[in-house]
Amino acid sequence: MTDDDRRLMMEIKAQAKIAYQSRPKVTNATKLAAALHRDFPHRTVEEIQQKIESVWRVRGMLVSVSKVSEVSTAS
């Protein structure tokens, strides 16, 4: 695991903690992945989304997904 990957996972876990504390019904993993990709371009949006889904699942939280093209045009 590279230093960038460690920083990415720290950020994903921090975002999960914030989401858990505010207890949203559902977090859009695709939109969050696209936002994180701007700071962590060494991973694709899809790779980041998979990591988000994994962390959220472990914490018992729900995620939704949308097409990456929908996120790109909505931003």
Side-chain angles (χ1 to χ4, degrees), residues 2-74:
T2 68
D3 188 50
D4 284 337
D5 285 331
R6 282 187 204 80
R7 290 186 323 107
L8 172 59
M9 289 308 296
M10 284 177 47
E11 185 62 30
I12 288 172
K13 289 177 182 179
Q15 291 292 325
K17 183 178 180 180
I18 291 167
Y20 182 78
Q21 290 172 344
S22 65
R23 291 190 184 35
K25 293 184 181 189
V26 178
T27 297
N28 187 311
T30 310
K31 289 181 180 179
L32 179 55
L36 288 174
H37 182 258
R38 292 181 202 116
D39 292 330
F40 299 96
H42 73 287
R43 293 289 180 192
T44 65
V45 171
E46 291 80 8
E47 289 172 320
I48 295 171
Q49 180 176 323
Q50 289 173 350
K51 292 176 185 299
I52 290 167
E53 290 172 10
S54 175
V55 171
W56 259 242
R57 191 176 312 110
V58 167
R59 294 175 184 235
M61 299 179 342
L62 301 175
V63 296
S64 68
V65 295
S66 53
K67 294 180 184 176
V68 174
S69 60
E70 291 174 3
V71 174
S72 299
T73 58

